[in-house]
Amino acid sequence: MAAVAKKERPSYNPAMLRWARERRGQSIEEVAHRLKQKPERIVAWEEAREVPTVNQARALADLYHRSFIEFFLKEPLELPEAAMVPDFRTHRGVDIDENQRALKDIQSWAEAQRANALDLFQELGEEPPVFPEHLFATVETRVESAAVEARKAMDFTIDAQLALSSQERAQLPNILRRKLEQVGILTLKDTSLGELGARGMCLVEFPLPTVVFGNEAPSAQAFTLAHELAHVVLRQSGIIAPLAHPNQGGKTHTEAWCDQFAASFLMPKEAVIQLLGEVPARRLDSISDDRLSSAASAFRVSPHAMLIRLVHLGYVDRLYYWEIKKPHFDQEEANYRAFGRASYYGTRYKNALGDLYTGLVMEAWANGRITNHNAAQYMGIKNLQHLYDIRDHFGVP
């Protein structure tokens, strides 16, 4: 019997494998862990002693946020450096040097998706939605009033939020995301944001300001989206940091205003008073977990967000939040893991890009303005079957 010829593997440039990893700011150990390989194998690939399979190389490309084809280049491309948006993590005691490259890549990706969306609007002969100018504010604007006006513009009443069933509570971020897109904000999702010490990113440029949020628990995502809406209202781009203790250096006026806007938006003062009664003359030293959970459940938010709001309004002492409850909330959120199987193959692409962007691609494709190959490129899809899955589930003929 004739011997079966061994299949040749592609001729990657090992220097490009190393360049892509280092540019992303990832260690050998981190890459090995993510790919479920031994560190020695990652080193062997970068030293040309072994060659990764096609699937392994594609996994590397996805991990590094690079194009697979770049691994065949003789030398790295000269990529333009994006001017980073203001990084509000610098006011929260976060070491930003370690992951700045990865955040720059996310910003560049978000800018590219915004440019793609604007191109698609032009291709379709349509105008992008315009963010309502009357919502613009400054840090001197009364937060409660700004939040009320935003709810009106988005046609999302507090009654509609309170009417959500307990099963629908996890859908609040998706509802907010659709509302943001209806007022002209492109919403994107990148699950690596949390690993970089950031809650979100907001790129304020009109038309089509763009926000990126991460893979937090649904109730935390709702707070982040409302916070990013506040950045658009203030016309202030930024990388959004986790809440930090005032002793770590405090917040900028922008971040403090945006945090209070998010809390006011999700839990309007009048609705809180109607539920819990008037603000006490003296702040309570604490609040029971049962009472806090009950109030949070009524607003379909997390106990964490609810307690932040109660501190802002003067119901509960600040130290109870910062010293007693926040460490517990932080641990719960750090341990959060999303479960559940995607409803169809293309789900992760659609979730990353949102309904507004995906709808533009599907409409342009359905109308023959772009080819299926173009549509796949816009969606970042390699397997065309995933593109067909999105089309079939998105409701575009």
Side-chain angles (χ1 to χ4, degrees), residues 279-294:
V279 179
R282 179 181 177 278
R283 291 175 181 267
L284 301 174
D285 292 333
S286 64
I287 183 172
S288 71
D289 287 345
D290 286 345
R291 191 180 184 201
L292 181 62
S293 294
S294 176

Side-chain angles (χ1 to χ4, degrees), residues 350-367:
K350 177 181 171 295
N351 286 348
L353 296 166
D355 285 354
L356 175 59
Y357 184 99
T358 302
L360 287 169
V361 175
M362 294 297 108
E363 183 181 354
W365 182 27
N367 292 343

